[in-house]
């Protein structure tokens, strides 16, 4: 196929020029080489492609039919090469990003504006799932990159730490005062607890902290969205665990207050994960480098 492709290029140029000498000049090869290529193609196909006339060569009827197909094929190849050049210049491409709602809203979106401005033709598709669900998609190559709030346990992922985050417990000030308890850690026994659902990686992290500190609780409310937990806490519905870095506005305005528990919850990180065995596209590499 490789040798035939070069023969098709010679055939196309001769047909366009209508002259073997002109075709040879444009192809930067000798006239005998052009004639030899045409004969080789004709012998290979068993069809005479050109007839000679006083001004050069002319396509036979069979040659005219074949020319239309070769022209389309070479144009498609040329277009493909142009697209690849655009990929190399980072002008085109697409990326599939797996990310949870909370990380997407509070971490990815604020950083995305400049990327879109710099690379407007790179298409970004977001797959909005929990971190654990997103890692499953990454495992089977259904997304290119994941944003996660804890390093993956599986060995076939590469993980790049981006930023540290701090989990805290918060509540509305009036609600805390209504609990009427002097020992701050007693709030887990007397307060209404609102947590993320059990399959959420943040919930698992909080459960591990509580277990390690012999704090055993049963949350009354379990939902899948941290932003809703923040809203519930603001109206005095109960106590919840949130990411401090994502609730600075509410803490600064006094809508929520941080509960100073002992010991504090350990810090963790937000990072990017990608599959070790699946090569990243140029667009995905560009995205990865941008966030680093």
């Amino acid at each position: 196929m490789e040798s035939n492709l070069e023969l098709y290029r010679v055939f196309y140029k001769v047909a366009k020029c209508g002259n073997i000498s002109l075709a040879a000049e444009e192809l930067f090869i000798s006239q005998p080489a052009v004639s030899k290529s045409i004969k080789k193609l004709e012998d290979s196909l068993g069809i005479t492609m050109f007839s000679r006339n006083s001004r050069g060569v002319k396509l036979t009827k069979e040659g005219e039919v074949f020319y239309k197909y070769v022209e389309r094929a070479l144009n498609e190849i040329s277009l493909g090469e142009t697209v690849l050049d655009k990929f190399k210049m980072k002008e085109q491409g697409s990326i599939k990003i797996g990310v949870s709602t909370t990380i997407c809203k509070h971490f990815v979106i604020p950083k995305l504006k400049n990327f879109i401005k710099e690379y407007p033709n790179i298409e970004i598709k977001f797959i909005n799932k929990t971190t654990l669900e997103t890692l499953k998609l990454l495992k089977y190559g259904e997304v290119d990159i994941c944003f996660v709030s804890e390093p993956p346990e599986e060995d076939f992922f590469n993980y790049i730490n981006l930023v540290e985050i701090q989990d805290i417990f918060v509540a509305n000030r009036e609600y805390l005062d209504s609990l009427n308890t002097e020992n701050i850690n007693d709030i887990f026994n007397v307060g209404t607890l609102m947590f993320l659902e059990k399959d959420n990686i943040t919930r698992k992290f909080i459960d591990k902290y509580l277990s390690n500190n012999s704090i055993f609780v049963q949350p009354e409310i379990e939902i899948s969205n941290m932003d809703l937990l923040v809203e519930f806490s603001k109206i005095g519905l109960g106590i919840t665990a949130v990411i401090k870095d994502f609730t600075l506005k509410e803490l600064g305005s006094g809508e929520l207050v941080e509960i100073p528990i002992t010991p504090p919850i350990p810090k963790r990180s937000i990072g990017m994960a990608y599959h070790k065995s699946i090569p990243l596209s140029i667009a995905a590499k560009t995205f990865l480098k941008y966030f680093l």
Side-chain angles (χ1 to χ4, degrees):
M1 177 63 190
E2 185 177 352
S3 59
N4 283 347
L5 180 60
E6 191 54 41
L7 296 180
Y8 296 156
R9 291 185 190 276
V10 173
F11 164 79
Y12 176 74
K13 185 60 70 175
V14 172
K16 256 186 107 59
C17 293
N19 186 287
I20 289 178
S21 297
L22 288 177
E25 289 179 14
E26 293 194 15
L27 291 167
F28 300 103
I29 58 178
S30 67
Q31 184 174 335
V34 172
S35 298
K36 184 178 179 181
S37 293
I38 294 300
K39 186 175 187 312
K40 185 177 180 180
L41 179 64
E42 290 178 330
D43 289 346
S44 172
L45 297 175
I47 296 289
T48 300
M49 294 293 175
F50 294 98
S51 60
R52 293 186 176 272
N53 56 41
S54 58
R55 289 178 294 181
V57 293
K58 181 181 178 182
L59 286 168
T60 62
K61 288 185 178 180
E62 294 83 0
E64 288 177 356
V65 171
F66 189 62
Y67 174 80
K68 293 177 183 178
Y69 288 97
V70 171
E71 182 179 41
R72 283 203 299 267
L74 293 180
N75 284 340
E76 286 297 313
I77 291 172
S78 177
L79 179 61
E81 291 173 342
T82 300
V83 171
L84 285 179
D85 284 339
K86 287 182 177 294
F87 283 150
K88 287 190 288 186
M89 297 299 293
K90 299 170 186 149
E91 293 178 11
Q92 286 188 8
S94 64
I95 322 162
K96 286 185 179 180
I97 304 296
V99 62
S100 68
T101 301
T102 300
I103 294 177
C104 187
K105 176 182 176 181
H106 296 284
F107 181 75
V108 178
I109 288 178
K111 300 177 184 298
L112 204 56
K113 184 177 180 181
N114 287 336
F115 179 85
I116 294 172
K117 186 176 181 181
E118 190 169 349
Y119 305 105
N121 294 320
I122 292 182
E123 181 185 16
I124 305 175
K125 299 177 182 179
F126 284 100
I127 311 297
N128 181 221
K129 302 283 185 181
T130 67
T131 294
L132 294 176
E133 290 172 325
T134 296
L135 287 173
K136 287 181 181 178
L137 295 177
L138 183 61
K139 179 178 179 180
Y140 296 108
E142 295 180 37
V143 295
D144 300 306
I145 296 171
C146 288
F147 286 92
V148 294
S149 56
E150 193 171 289
E153 295 179 358
E154 292 87 348
D155 188 48
F156 40 74
F157 295 136
N158 286 316
Y159 175 78
I160 301 172
N161 183 32
L162 296 176
V163 64
E164 279 194 335
I165 54 175
Q166 177 69 61
D167 295 273
I168 59 173
F169 287 100
V170 297
N172 174 282
R173 168 58 67 187
E174 287 75 17
Y175 177 80
L176 280 180
D177 291 342
S178 72
L179 297 179
N180 195 26
T181 178
E182 294 183 4
N183 187 339
I184 200 67
N185 280 7
D186 284 346
I187 63 168
F188 294 114
N189 297 321
V190 297
T192 298
L193 298 178
M194 306 180 296
F195 285 178
L196 291 168
E197 294 173 341
K198 288 186 177 181
D199 62 347
N200 187 285
I201 199 165
T202 294
R203 169 66 184 276
K204 291 179 182 293
F205 183 77
I206 295 300
D207 282 348
K208 183 178 179 181
Y209 161 81
L210 293 172
S211 177
N212 288 344
N213 290 278
S214 300
I215 301 172
F216 304 102
V217 300
Q218 181 60 49
E220 284 82 356
I221 297 174
E222 293 179 314
I223 58 176
S224 62
N225 189 294
M226 186 177 288
D227 287 334
L228 282 179
L229 292 177
V230 170
E231 295 302 317
F232 289 165
S233 295
K234 283 163 60 175
I235 62 173
L237 198 57
I239 299 163
T240 192
V242 298
I243 297 172
K244 184 174 184 178
D245 311 70
F246 299 164
T247 52
L248 294 177
K249 178 182 176 183
E250 290 80 4
L251 293 168
S253 66
E255 293 176 284
L256 291 176
V257 295
E258 180 179 352
I259 301 170
I261 59 171
T262 304
I265 302 171
K267 288 187 176 182
R268 55 190 174 120
S269 65
I270 290 176
M272 300 171 78
Y274 59 99
H275 206 293
K276 289 181 178 179
S277 303
I278 302 176
L280 291 174
S281 66
I282 293 174
K285 287 180 181 177
T286 303
F287 186 87
L288 187 80
K289 185 176 180 181
Y290 173 82
F291 267 82
L292 294 178

